[in-house]
Amino acid sequence: DIQMTQSPSSVSASIGDTITITCRASRDVSTWLAWYQHKPGQAPKLLIYGASILQTGVPSRFSGSGSGTEFTLTINSLQPGDFATYYCQQATSFPLTFGQGTRLEI
Amino acid sequence: EVQVVTSGGGLVQPGRSLRLSCATSGFTLRDYPMTWFRKPPGKGLEWVGFIRSKPYGGTTEYAASVKGRFTISLDESKGIAYLQMDSLKTEDTAVYYCSRSLHGGYPSDYWGQGTLVTVSS
């Protein structure tokens, strides 16, 4: 199985800040990488797929980059609704695997 | 409007069975893969398995932890996907989510709200 490792596990930030989350894969996943946002009690939400393609309706404050084994999710100008847990997911081979999550806190 | 609604969770004893349902609307179920995920308490998201769309054979893939115990199926006439869970274990306790996926089961663009399954004696 491909192991996905996110860092940091948690990050504290303020409204208006910019934060970056890193996701590393145990082997090459090309750009078969998605990012999801998950808030307690809600359905997860697709933010980015193909490592850098913004899902329709997602604000342009969110951006993704990377290929191979190292990826980043950047959120500019943090808004109150951005405080959640973020997961990366690889889709190059089964089982599809997630990183352990990064909790974004105020 | 695409909608995905998950239901069927509850409290069940170890070794017993439970079937979860995923009611869909706003798209043609046979044309999209459907994927199940779960989130155990205090842990992160886990991929459970998915079923390919009928044009791609309607075959399934499962995580090793559930293979042989869980089965994903579709009732296209009703627009419902199912997750049949047999021989349940305490470690299957989680909120279960179904989702519509794109080709190959990735990415999952529409998710249900989740249903809690608690396996306990």
PDB file of all heavy atoms in Angstrom, chain A residues 32-34 36 38 42-44 46 49-50 55 87 89 91 94-96 98, chain B residues 37 39 44-47 50 52 61 97 104-109 111-112:
ATOM      1  N   TRP A  32      -1.874  11.935  -9.250  1.00  0.00           N
ATOM      2  CA  TRP A  32      -3.119  11.307  -8.800  1.00  0.00           C
ATOM      3  C   TRP A  32      -3.310  11.599  -7.308  1.00  0.00           C
ATOM      4  O   TRP A  32      -3.224  10.704  -6.462  1.00  0.00           O
ATOM      5  CB  TRP A  32      -3.098   9.812  -9.076  1.00  0.00           C
ATOM      6  CG  TRP A  32      -3.115   9.488 -10.523  1.00  0.00           C
ATOM      7  CD1 TRP A  32      -2.035   9.280 -11.339  1.00  0.00           C
ATOM      8  CD2 TRP A  32      -4.275   9.348 -11.353  1.00  0.00           C
ATOM      9  NE1 TRP A  32      -2.454   9.025 -12.617  1.00  0.00           N
ATOM     10  CE2 TRP A  32      -3.813   9.051 -12.653  1.00  0.00           C
ATOM     11  CE3 TRP A  32      -5.652   9.442 -11.113  1.00  0.00           C
ATOM     12  CZ2 TRP A  32      -4.691   8.846 -13.727  1.00  0.00           C
ATOM     13  CZ3 TRP A  32      -6.518   9.222 -12.178  1.00  0.00           C
ATOM     14  CH2 TRP A  32      -6.039   8.937 -13.459  1.00  0.00           C
ATOM     15  N   LEU A  33      -3.599  12.850  -7.023  1.00  0.00           N
ATOM     16  CA  LEU A  33      -3.634  13.317  -5.649  1.00  0.00           C
ATOM     17  C   LEU A  33      -4.791  14.304  -5.492  1.00  0.00           C
ATOM     18  O   LEU A  33      -4.946  15.233  -6.290  1.00  0.00           O
ATOM     19  CB  LEU A  33      -2.291  13.984  -5.306  1.00  0.00           C
ATOM     20  CG  LEU A  33      -1.912  14.367  -3.879  1.00  0.00           C
ATOM     21  CD1 LEU A  33      -2.659  15.567  -3.337  1.00  0.00           C
ATOM     22  CD2 LEU A  33      -2.076  13.175  -2.917  1.00  0.00           C
ATOM     23  N   ALA A  34      -5.596  14.062  -4.466  1.00  0.00           N
ATOM     24  CA  ALA A  34      -6.709  14.956  -4.167  1.00  0.00           C
ATOM     25  C   ALA A  34      -6.575  15.484  -2.737  1.00  0.00           C
ATOM     26  O   ALA A  34      -5.939  14.860  -1.888  1.00  0.00           O
ATOM     27  CB  ALA A  34      -8.043  14.223  -4.320  1.00  0.00           C
ATOM     28  N   TYR A  36      -9.092  17.009   0.430  1.00  0.00           N
ATOM     29  CA  TYR A  36     -10.449  17.134   0.936  1.00  0.00           C
ATOM     30  C   TYR A  36     -10.425  17.946   2.224  1.00  0.00           C
ATOM     31  O   TYR A  36      -9.473  17.881   3.007  1.00  0.00           O
ATOM     32  CB  TYR A  36     -11.060  15.761   1.234  1.00  0.00           C
ATOM     33  CG  TYR A  36     -11.230  14.886   0.019  1.00  0.00           C
ATOM     34  CD1 TYR A  36     -10.236  14.003  -0.379  1.00  0.00           C
ATOM     35  CD2 TYR A  36     -12.406  14.930  -0.725  1.00  0.00           C
ATOM     36  CE1 TYR A  36     -10.391  13.197  -1.494  1.00  0.00           C
ATOM     37  CE2 TYR A  36     -12.578  14.117  -1.843  1.00  0.00           C
ATOM     38  CZ  TYR A  36     -11.567  13.263  -2.218  1.00  0.00           C
ATOM     39  OH  TYR A  36     -11.721  12.466  -3.324  1.00  0.00           O
ATOM     40  N   HIS A  38     -12.693  18.502   5.745  1.00  0.00           N
ATOM     41  CA  HIS A  38     -13.716  17.811   6.525  1.00  0.00           C
ATOM     42  C   HIS A  38     -13.975  18.553   7.823  1.00  0.00           C
ATOM     43  O   HIS A  38     -13.046  18.773   8.609  1.00  0.00           O
ATOM     44  CB  HIS A  38     -13.291  16.365   6.823  1.00  0.00           C
ATOM     45  CG  HIS A  38     -14.392  15.527   7.366  1.00  0.00           C
ATOM     46  ND1 HIS A  38     -14.187  14.393   8.110  1.00  0.00           N
ATOM     47  CD2 HIS A  38     -15.743  15.645   7.253  1.00  0.00           C
ATOM     48  CE1 HIS A  38     -15.339  13.862   8.440  1.00  0.00           C
ATOM     49  NE2 HIS A  38     -16.297  14.596   7.923  1.00  0.00           N
ATOM     50  N   GLN A  42     -20.131  16.965   9.224  1.00  0.00           N
ATOM     51  CA  GLN A  42     -20.462  17.259   7.829  1.00  0.00           C
ATOM     52  C   GLN A  42     -19.822  16.247   6.896  1.00  0.00           C
ATOM     53  O   GLN A  42     -18.935  15.489   7.280  1.00  0.00           O
ATOM     54  CB  GLN A  42     -19.992  18.677   7.464  1.00  0.00           C
ATOM     55  CG  GLN A  42     -20.680  19.780   8.238  1.00  0.00           C
ATOM     56  CD  GLN A  42     -20.320  21.155   7.711  1.00  0.00           C
ATOM     57  OE1 GLN A  42     -19.885  21.313   6.557  1.00  0.00           O
ATOM     58  NE2 GLN A  42     -20.507  22.175   8.541  1.00  0.00           N
ATOM     59  N   ALA A  43     -20.281  16.248   5.653  1.00  0.00           N
ATOM     60  CA  ALA A  43     -19.654  15.423   4.639  1.00  0.00           C
ATOM     61  C   ALA A  43     -18.330  16.039   4.223  1.00  0.00           C
ATOM     62  O   ALA A  43     -18.195  17.268   4.153  1.00  0.00           O
ATOM     63  CB  ALA A  43     -20.574  15.327   3.422  1.00  0.00           C
ATOM     64  N   PRO A  44     -17.324  15.217   3.972  1.00  0.00           N
ATOM     65  CA  PRO A  44     -16.085  15.759   3.404  1.00  0.00           C
ATOM     66  C   PRO A  44     -16.361  16.468   2.092  1.00  0.00           C
ATOM     67  O   PRO A  44     -17.328  16.162   1.396  1.00  0.00           O
ATOM     68  CB  PRO A  44     -15.217  14.500   3.204  1.00  0.00           C
ATOM     69  CG  PRO A  44     -15.741  13.519   4.207  1.00  0.00           C
ATOM     70  CD  PRO A  44     -17.224  13.776   4.250  1.00  0.00           C
ATOM     71  N   LEU A  46     -14.582  17.870  -1.558  1.00  0.00           N
ATOM     72  CA  LEU A  46     -13.451  17.828  -2.485  1.00  0.00           C
ATOM     73  C   LEU A  46     -12.989  19.253  -2.784  1.00  0.00           C
ATOM     74  O   LEU A  46     -13.782  20.098  -3.186  1.00  0.00           O
ATOM     75  CB  LEU A  46     -13.869  17.141  -3.784  1.00  0.00           C
ATOM     76  CG  LEU A  46     -12.862  17.161  -4.935  1.00  0.00           C
ATOM     77  CD1 LEU A  46     -11.612  16.353  -4.570  1.00  0.00           C
ATOM     78  CD2 LEU A  46     -13.507  16.603  -6.210  1.00  0.00           C
ATOM     79  N   TYR A  49      -8.158  18.167  -7.130  1.00  0.00           N
ATOM     80  CA  TYR A  49      -7.794  16.855  -7.649  1.00  0.00           C
ATOM     81  C   TYR A  49      -6.762  17.064  -8.743  1.00  0.00           C
ATOM     82  O   TYR A  49      -6.502  18.196  -9.163  1.00  0.00           O
ATOM     83  CB  TYR A  49      -9.029  16.095  -8.158  1.00  0.00           C
ATOM     84  CG  TYR A  49      -9.739  16.773  -9.312  1.00  0.00           C
ATOM     85  CD1 TYR A  49      -9.492  16.397 -10.620  1.00  0.00           C
ATOM     86  CD2 TYR A  49     -10.664  17.794  -9.070  1.00  0.00           C
ATOM     87  CE1 TYR A  49     -10.140  17.017 -11.673  1.00  0.00           C
ATOM     88  CE2 TYR A  49     -11.311  18.422 -10.121  1.00  0.00           C
ATOM     89  CZ  TYR A  49     -11.051  18.023 -11.423  1.00  0.00           C
ATOM     90  OH  TYR A  49     -11.691  18.644 -12.458  1.00  0.00           O
ATOM     91  N   GLY A  50      -6.157  15.955  -9.167  1.00  0.00           N
ATOM     92  CA  GLY A  50      -5.070  16.096 -10.133  1.00  0.00           C
ATOM     93  C   GLY A  50      -3.939  16.947  -9.600  1.00  0.00           C
ATOM     94  O   GLY A  50      -3.231  17.601 -10.361  1.00  0.00           O
ATOM     95  N   GLN A  55     -11.565  22.159  -7.719  1.00  0.00           N
ATOM     96  CA  GLN A  55     -12.928  21.678  -7.940  1.00  0.00           C
ATOM     97  C   GLN A  55     -13.848  22.883  -8.140  1.00  0.00           C
ATOM     98  O   GLN A  55     -13.682  23.932  -7.500  1.00  0.00           O
ATOM     99  CB  GLN A  55     -13.384  20.824  -6.761  1.00  0.00           C
ATOM    100  CG  GLN A  55     -14.851  20.446  -6.745  1.00  0.00           C
ATOM    101  CD  GLN A  55     -15.239  19.460  -7.850  1.00  0.00           C
ATOM    102  OE1 GLN A  55     -14.451  19.174  -8.755  1.00  0.00           O
ATOM    103  NE2 GLN A  55     -16.453  18.950  -7.782  1.00  0.00           N
ATOM    104  N   TYR A  87      -7.307  16.526   4.360  1.00  0.00           N
ATOM    105  CA  TYR A  87      -6.724  15.226   4.039  1.00  0.00           C
ATOM    106  C   TYR A  87      -6.244  15.213   2.593  1.00  0.00           C
ATOM    107  O   TYR A  87      -6.949  15.692   1.693  1.00  0.00           O
ATOM    108  CB  TYR A  87      -7.752  14.106   4.174  1.00  0.00           C
ATOM    109  CG  TYR A  87      -8.271  13.869   5.572  1.00  0.00           C
ATOM    110  CD1 TYR A  87      -9.407  14.534   6.026  1.00  0.00           C
ATOM    111  CD2 TYR A  87      -7.644  12.962   6.424  1.00  0.00           C
ATOM    112  CE1 TYR A  87      -9.902  14.303   7.303  1.00  0.00           C
ATOM    113  CE2 TYR A  87      -8.135  12.728   7.695  1.00  0.00           C
ATOM    114  CZ  TYR A  87      -9.260  13.399   8.126  1.00  0.00           C
ATOM    115  OH  TYR A  87      -9.742  13.166   9.391  1.00  0.00           O
ATOM    116  N   GLN A  89      -5.240  12.469  -0.510  1.00  0.00           N
ATOM    117  CA  GLN A  89      -5.588  11.102  -0.898  1.00  0.00           C
ATOM    118  C   GLN A  89      -4.900  10.774  -2.207  1.00  0.00           C
ATOM    119  O   GLN A  89      -4.998  11.555  -3.167  1.00  0.00           O
ATOM    120  CB  GLN A  89      -7.101  10.963  -1.068  1.00  0.00           C
ATOM    121  CG  GLN A  89      -7.545   9.573  -1.492  1.00  0.00           C
ATOM    122  CD  GLN A  89      -8.891   9.565  -2.221  1.00  0.00           C
ATOM    123  OE1 GLN A  89      -9.215  10.493  -2.950  1.00  0.00           O
ATOM    124  NE2 GLN A  89      -9.680   8.524  -2.015  1.00  0.00           N
ATOM    125  N   ALA A  91      -4.547   8.251  -5.563  1.00  0.00           N
ATOM    126  CA  ALA A  91      -5.441   7.411  -6.358  1.00  0.00           C
ATOM    127  C   ALA A  91      -4.690   6.736  -7.492  1.00  0.00           C
ATOM    128  O   ALA A  91      -5.272   6.438  -8.536  1.00  0.00           O
ATOM    129  CB  ALA A  91      -6.593   8.241  -6.899  1.00  0.00           C
ATOM    130  N   PHE A  94      -4.880   0.860  -5.862  1.00  0.00           N
ATOM    131  CA  PHE A  94      -5.707   0.417  -4.745  1.00  0.00           C
ATOM    132  C   PHE A  94      -4.833  -0.263  -3.698  1.00  0.00           C
ATOM    133  O   PHE A  94      -3.880  -0.961  -4.040  1.00  0.00           O
ATOM    134  CB  PHE A  94      -6.778  -0.556  -5.243  1.00  0.00           C
ATOM    135  CG  PHE A  94      -7.763   0.071  -6.169  1.00  0.00           C
ATOM    136  CD1 PHE A  94      -7.814  -0.302  -7.496  1.00  0.00           C
ATOM    137  CD2 PHE A  94      -8.640   1.048  -5.723  1.00  0.00           C
ATOM    138  CE1 PHE A  94      -8.703   0.278  -8.365  1.00  0.00           C
ATOM    139  CE2 PHE A  94      -9.538   1.640  -6.571  1.00  0.00           C
ATOM    140  CZ  PHE A  94      -9.578   1.250  -7.907  1.00  0.00           C
ATOM    141  N   PRO A  95      -5.180  -0.103  -2.412  1.00  0.00           N
ATOM    142  CA  PRO A  95      -6.272   0.712  -1.898  1.00  0.00           C
ATOM    143  C   PRO A  95      -5.954   2.203  -1.969  1.00  0.00           C
ATOM    144  O   PRO A  95      -4.801   2.600  -1.797  1.00  0.00           O
ATOM    145  CB  PRO A  95      -6.373   0.255  -0.443  1.00  0.00           C
ATOM    146  CG  PRO A  95      -4.972  -0.106  -0.080  1.00  0.00           C
ATOM    147  CD  PRO A  95      -4.388  -0.726  -1.326  1.00  0.00           C
ATOM    148  N   LEU A  96      -6.979   3.001  -2.253  1.00  0.00           N
ATOM    149  CA  LEU A  96      -6.791   4.441  -2.189  1.00  0.00           C
ATOM    150  C   LEU A  96      -6.505   4.792  -0.739  1.00  0.00           C
ATOM    151  O   LEU A  96      -7.216   4.348   0.166  1.00  0.00           O
ATOM    152  CB  LEU A  96      -8.034   5.169  -2.679  1.00  0.00           C
ATOM    153  CG  LEU A  96      -8.542   4.796  -4.082  1.00  0.00           C
ATOM    154  CD1 LEU A  96      -9.630   5.762  -4.523  1.00  0.00           C
ATOM    155  CD2 LEU A  96      -7.423   4.738  -5.086  1.00  0.00           C
ATOM    156  N   PHE A  98      -5.307   7.695   2.405  1.00  0.00           N
ATOM    157  CA  PHE A  98      -5.308   9.078   2.857  1.00  0.00           C
ATOM    158  C   PHE A  98      -4.110   9.356   3.752  1.00  0.00           C
ATOM    159  O   PHE A  98      -3.586   8.438   4.408  1.00  0.00           O
ATOM    160  CB  PHE A  98      -6.565   9.358   3.692  1.00  0.00           C
ATOM    161  CG  PHE A  98      -7.840   9.428   2.924  1.00  0.00           C
ATOM    162  CD1 PHE A  98      -8.609   8.288   2.742  1.00  0.00           C
ATOM    163  CD2 PHE A  98      -8.303  10.630   2.415  1.00  0.00           C
ATOM    164  CE1 PHE A  98      -9.814   8.348   2.056  1.00  0.00           C
ATOM    165  CE2 PHE A  98      -9.504  10.708   1.732  1.00  0.00           C
ATOM    166  CZ  PHE A  98     -10.262   9.562   1.546  1.00  0.00           C
TER     167      PHE A  98
ATOM    168  N   PHE B  37     -16.505   5.240   2.164  1.00  0.00           N
ATOM    169  CA  PHE B  37     -15.421   5.600   3.072  1.00  0.00           C
ATOM    170  C   PHE B  37     -15.932   5.450   4.493  1.00  0.00           C
ATOM    171  O   PHE B  37     -17.143   5.329   4.730  1.00  0.00           O
ATOM    172  CB  PHE B  37     -14.991   7.065   2.876  1.00  0.00           C
ATOM    173  CG  PHE B  37     -14.484   7.405   1.511  1.00  0.00           C
ATOM    174  CD1 PHE B  37     -15.356   7.814   0.519  1.00  0.00           C
ATOM    175  CD2 PHE B  37     -13.130   7.331   1.234  1.00  0.00           C
ATOM    176  CE1 PHE B  37     -14.887   8.152  -0.752  1.00  0.00           C
ATOM    177  CE2 PHE B  37     -12.648   7.666  -0.031  1.00  0.00           C
ATOM    178  CZ  PHE B  37     -13.538   8.066  -1.019  1.00  0.00           C
ATOM    179  N   LYS B  39     -14.884   6.851   8.800  1.00  0.00           N
ATOM    180  CA  LYS B  39     -14.031   7.584   9.718  1.00  0.00           C
ATOM    181  C   LYS B  39     -14.272   7.027  11.119  1.00  0.00           C
ATOM    182  O   LYS B  39     -15.265   7.363  11.766  1.00  0.00           O
ATOM    183  CB  LYS B  39     -14.327   9.085   9.679  1.00  0.00           C
ATOM    184  CG  LYS B  39     -13.342   9.886  10.539  1.00  0.00           C
ATOM    185  CD  LYS B  39     -13.659  11.338  10.554  1.00  0.00           C
ATOM    186  CE  LYS B  39     -12.628  12.105  11.377  1.00  0.00           C
ATOM    187  NZ  LYS B  39     -12.508  11.595  12.767  1.00  0.00           N
ATOM    188  N   GLY B  44      -8.552   9.116  11.158  1.00  0.00           N
ATOM    189  CA  GLY B  44      -8.792   9.819   9.914  1.00  0.00           C
ATOM    190  C   GLY B  44      -9.680   9.055   8.963  1.00  0.00           C
ATOM    191  O   GLY B  44     -10.201   7.979   9.273  1.00  0.00           O
ATOM    192  N   LEU B  45      -9.852   9.624   7.774  1.00  0.00           N
ATOM    193  CA  LEU B  45     -10.676   8.995   6.752  1.00  0.00           C
ATOM    194  C   LEU B  45     -10.021   7.721   6.220  1.00  0.00           C
ATOM    195  O   LEU B  45      -8.801   7.668   6.045  1.00  0.00           O
ATOM    196  CB  LEU B  45     -10.904   9.965   5.592  1.00  0.00           C
ATOM    197  CG  LEU B  45     -11.798  11.168   5.877  1.00  0.00           C
ATOM    198  CD1 LEU B  45     -11.758  12.141   4.702  1.00  0.00           C
ATOM    199  CD2 LEU B  45     -13.227  10.728   6.150  1.00  0.00           C
ATOM    200  N   GLU B  46     -10.840   6.731   5.949  1.00  0.00           N
ATOM    201  CA  GLU B  46     -10.380   5.477   5.364  1.00  0.00           C
ATOM    202  C   GLU B  46     -11.229   5.137   4.152  1.00  0.00           C
ATOM    203  O   GLU B  46     -12.452   5.292   4.176  1.00  0.00           O
ATOM    204  CB  GLU B  46     -10.513   4.317   6.372  1.00  0.00           C
ATOM    205  CG  GLU B  46      -9.680   4.434   7.591  1.00  0.00           C
ATOM    206  CD  GLU B  46      -9.881   3.232   8.525  1.00  0.00           C
ATOM    207  OE1 GLU B  46     -10.708   2.345   8.211  1.00  0.00           O
ATOM    208  OE2 GLU B  46      -9.220   3.205   9.575  1.00  0.00           O
ATOM    209  N   TRP B  47     -10.593   4.658   3.113  1.00  0.00           N
ATOM    210  CA  TRP B  47     -11.298   4.161   1.936  1.00  0.00           C
ATOM    211  C   TRP B  47     -11.749   2.739   2.222  1.00  0.00           C
ATOM    212  O   TRP B  47     -10.942   1.901   2.656  1.00  0.00           O
ATOM    213  CB  TRP B  47     -10.355   4.204   0.746  1.00  0.00           C
ATOM    214  CG  TRP B  47     -10.861   3.666  -0.533  1.00  0.00           C
ATOM    215  CD1 TRP B  47     -11.635   4.316  -1.448  1.00  0.00           C
ATOM    216  CD2 TRP B  47     -10.594   2.366  -1.088  1.00  0.00           C
ATOM    217  NE1 TRP B  47     -11.865   3.503  -2.538  1.00  0.00           N
ATOM    218  CE2 TRP B  47     -11.239   2.302  -2.341  1.00  0.00           C
ATOM    219  CE3 TRP B  47      -9.873   1.258  -0.658  1.00  0.00           C
ATOM    220  CZ2 TRP B  47     -11.184   1.169  -3.157  1.00  0.00           C
ATOM    221  CZ3 TRP B  47      -9.815   0.134  -1.461  1.00  0.00           C
ATOM    222  CH2 TRP B  47     -10.469   0.096  -2.698  1.00  0.00           C
ATOM    223  N   PHE B  50     -15.083   0.481  -3.608  1.00  0.00           N
ATOM    224  CA  PHE B  50     -15.896   1.143  -4.617  1.00  0.00           C
ATOM    225  C   PHE B  50     -16.380   0.152  -5.659  1.00  0.00           C
ATOM    226  O   PHE B  50     -15.872  -0.977  -5.765  1.00  0.00           O
ATOM    227  CB  PHE B  50     -15.136   2.315  -5.227  1.00  0.00           C
ATOM    228  CG  PHE B  50     -14.408   2.029  -6.517  1.00  0.00           C
ATOM    229  CD1 PHE B  50     -14.803   2.638  -7.696  1.00  0.00           C
ATOM    230  CD2 PHE B  50     -13.321   1.184  -6.559  1.00  0.00           C
ATOM    231  CE1 PHE B  50     -14.129   2.403  -8.882  1.00  0.00           C
ATOM    232  CE2 PHE B  50     -12.639   0.943  -7.718  1.00  0.00           C
ATOM    233  CZ  PHE B  50     -13.042   1.559  -8.899  1.00  0.00           C
ATOM    234  N   ARG B  52     -17.279  -0.030  -9.759  1.00  0.00           N
ATOM    235  CA  ARG B  52     -17.147   0.655 -11.048  1.00  0.00           C
ATOM    236  C   ARG B  52     -18.514   0.817 -11.682  1.00  0.00           C
ATOM    237  O   ARG B  52     -19.443   0.056 -11.413  1.00  0.00           O
ATOM    238  CB  ARG B  52     -16.219  -0.131 -11.973  1.00  0.00           C
ATOM    239  CG  ARG B  52     -14.775  -0.188 -11.493  1.00  0.00           C
ATOM    240  CD  ARG B  52     -13.889  -1.030 -12.394  1.00  0.00           C
ATOM    241  NE  ARG B  52     -12.506  -1.023 -11.958  1.00  0.00           N
ATOM    242  CZ  ARG B  52     -12.025  -1.839 -11.037  1.00  0.00           C
ATOM    243  NH1 ARG B  52     -12.810  -2.724 -10.459  1.00  0.00           N
ATOM    244  NH2 ARG B  52     -10.745  -1.766 -10.702  1.00  0.00           N
ATOM    245  N   GLU B  61     -13.778  -3.141  -5.799  1.00  0.00           N
ATOM    246  CA  GLU B  61     -12.480  -3.204  -5.110  1.00  0.00           C
ATOM    247  C   GLU B  61     -12.732  -2.907  -3.644  1.00  0.00           C
ATOM    248  O   GLU B  61     -13.590  -2.084  -3.322  1.00  0.00           O
ATOM    249  CB  GLU B  61     -11.496  -2.156  -5.669  1.00  0.00           C
ATOM    250  CG  GLU B  61     -11.239  -2.223  -7.157  1.00  0.00           C
ATOM    251  CD  GLU B  61     -10.330  -3.363  -7.556  1.00  0.00           C
ATOM    252  OE1 GLU B  61      -9.675  -3.964  -6.667  1.00  0.00           O
ATOM    253  OE2 GLU B  61     -10.257  -3.648  -8.771  1.00  0.00           O
ATOM    254  N   TYR B  97     -19.493   6.937   5.012  1.00  0.00           N
ATOM    255  CA  TYR B  97     -19.898   7.890   3.983  1.00  0.00           C
ATOM    256  C   TYR B  97     -19.916   7.188   2.623  1.00  0.00           C
ATOM    257  O   TYR B  97     -19.006   6.415   2.304  1.00  0.00           O
ATOM    258  CB  TYR B  97     -18.900   9.042   3.877  1.00  0.00           C
ATOM    259  CG  TYR B  97     -18.707   9.850   5.128  1.00  0.00           C
ATOM    260  CD1 TYR B  97     -17.707   9.537   6.044  1.00  0.00           C
ATOM    261  CD2 TYR B  97     -19.512  10.958   5.391  1.00  0.00           C
ATOM    262  CE1 TYR B  97     -17.515  10.289   7.193  1.00  0.00           C
ATOM    263  CE2 TYR B  97     -19.322  11.721   6.538  1.00  0.00           C
ATOM    264  CZ  TYR B  97     -18.325  11.377   7.423  1.00  0.00           C
ATOM    265  OH  TYR B  97     -18.144  12.132   8.555  1.00  0.00           O
ATOM    266  N   GLY B 104     -12.613   5.552 -12.323  1.00  0.00           N
ATOM    267  CA  GLY B 104     -11.607   4.886 -11.513  1.00  0.00           C
ATOM    268  C   GLY B 104     -11.815   5.061 -10.026  1.00  0.00           C
ATOM    269  O   GLY B 104     -10.989   4.634  -9.222  1.00  0.00           O
ATOM    270  N   GLY B 105     -12.922   5.674  -9.645  1.00  0.00           N
ATOM    271  CA  GLY B 105     -13.199   5.857  -8.225  1.00  0.00           C
ATOM    272  C   GLY B 105     -12.539   7.078  -7.623  1.00  0.00           C
ATOM    273  O   GLY B 105     -12.445   7.217  -6.407  1.00  0.00           O
ATOM    274  N   TYR B 106     -12.046   7.973  -8.437  1.00  0.00           N
ATOM    275  CA  TYR B 106     -11.344   9.180  -7.982  1.00  0.00           C
ATOM    276  C   TYR B 106     -11.619  10.314  -8.959  1.00  0.00           C
ATOM    277  O   TYR B 106     -11.634  10.079 -10.164  1.00  0.00           O
ATOM    278  CB  TYR B 106      -9.840   8.884  -7.931  1.00  0.00           C
ATOM    279  CG  TYR B 106      -8.955  10.080  -8.062  1.00  0.00           C
ATOM    280  CD1 TYR B 106      -8.550  10.786  -6.939  1.00  0.00           C
ATOM    281  CD2 TYR B 106      -8.520  10.516  -9.318  1.00  0.00           C
ATOM    282  CE1 TYR B 106      -7.733  11.890  -7.060  1.00  0.00           C
ATOM    283  CE2 TYR B 106      -7.711  11.627  -9.449  1.00  0.00           C
ATOM    284  CZ  TYR B 106      -7.312  12.311  -8.313  1.00  0.00           C
ATOM    285  OH  TYR B 106      -6.503  13.407  -8.435  1.00  0.00           O
ATOM    286  N   PRO B 107     -11.763  11.525  -8.457  1.00  0.00           N
ATOM    287  CA  PRO B 107     -11.995  11.823  -7.057  1.00  0.00           C
ATOM    288  C   PRO B 107     -13.465  11.645  -6.696  1.00  0.00           C
ATOM    289  O   PRO B 107     -14.287  11.402  -7.571  1.00  0.00           O
ATOM    290  CB  PRO B 107     -11.586  13.293  -6.964  1.00  0.00           C
ATOM    291  CG  PRO B 107     -11.991  13.850  -8.300  1.00  0.00           C
ATOM    292  CD  PRO B 107     -11.723  12.757  -9.298  1.00  0.00           C
ATOM    293  N   SER B 108     -13.779  11.771  -5.429  1.00  0.00           N
ATOM    294  CA  SER B 108     -15.159  11.706  -4.972  1.00  0.00           C
ATOM    295  C   SER B 108     -15.693  13.122  -4.862  1.00  0.00           C
ATOM    296  O   SER B 108     -15.245  13.904  -4.028  1.00  0.00           O
ATOM    297  CB  SER B 108     -15.235  11.011  -3.613  1.00  0.00           C
ATOM    298  OG  SER B 108     -15.014   9.623  -3.748  1.00  0.00           O
ATOM    299  N   ASP B 109     -16.632  13.459  -5.747  1.00  0.00           N
ATOM    300  CA  ASP B 109     -17.043  14.857  -5.839  1.00  0.00           C
ATOM    301  C   ASP B 109     -18.313  15.191  -5.066  1.00  0.00           C
ATOM    302  O   ASP B 109     -18.520  16.359  -4.720  1.00  0.00           O
ATOM    303  CB  ASP B 109     -17.154  15.303  -7.305  1.00  0.00           C
ATOM    304  CG  ASP B 109     -18.149  14.485  -8.113  1.00  0.00           C
ATOM    305  OD1 ASP B 109     -18.669  13.477  -7.607  1.00  0.00           O
ATOM    306  OD2 ASP B 109     -18.397  14.872  -9.286  1.00  0.00           O
ATOM    307  N   TRP B 111     -20.606  13.801  -1.662  1.00  0.00           N
ATOM    308  CA  TRP B 111     -20.593  12.901  -0.517  1.00  0.00           C
ATOM    309  C   TRP B 111     -21.921  12.967   0.226  1.00  0.00           C
ATOM    310  O   TRP B 111     -22.524  14.044   0.345  1.00  0.00           O
ATOM    311  CB  TRP B 111     -19.487  13.291   0.463  1.00  0.00           C
ATOM    312  CG  TRP B 111     -18.090  13.150  -0.027  1.00  0.00           C
ATOM    313  CD1 TRP B 111     -17.511  13.808  -1.090  1.00  0.00           C
ATOM    314  CD2 TRP B 111     -17.063  12.341   0.552  1.00  0.00           C
ATOM    315  NE1 TRP B 111     -16.184  13.450  -1.205  1.00  0.00           N
ATOM    316  CE2 TRP B 111     -15.884  12.552  -0.203  1.00  0.00           C
ATOM    317  CE3 TRP B 111     -17.014  11.470   1.639  1.00  0.00           C
ATOM    318  CZ2 TRP B 111     -14.676  11.904   0.086  1.00  0.00           C
ATOM    319  CZ3 TRP B 111     -15.807  10.832   1.942  1.00  0.00           C
ATOM    320  CH2 TRP B 111     -14.661  11.052   1.162  1.00  0.00           C
ATOM    321  N   GLY B 112     -22.324  11.826   0.773  1.00  0.00           N
ATOM    322  CA  GLY B 112     -23.422  11.829   1.718  1.00  0.00           C
ATOM    323  C   GLY B 112     -22.968  12.357   3.063  1.00  0.00           C
ATOM    324  O   GLY B 112     -21.765  12.493   3.316  1.00  0.00           O
TER     325      GLY B 112
END
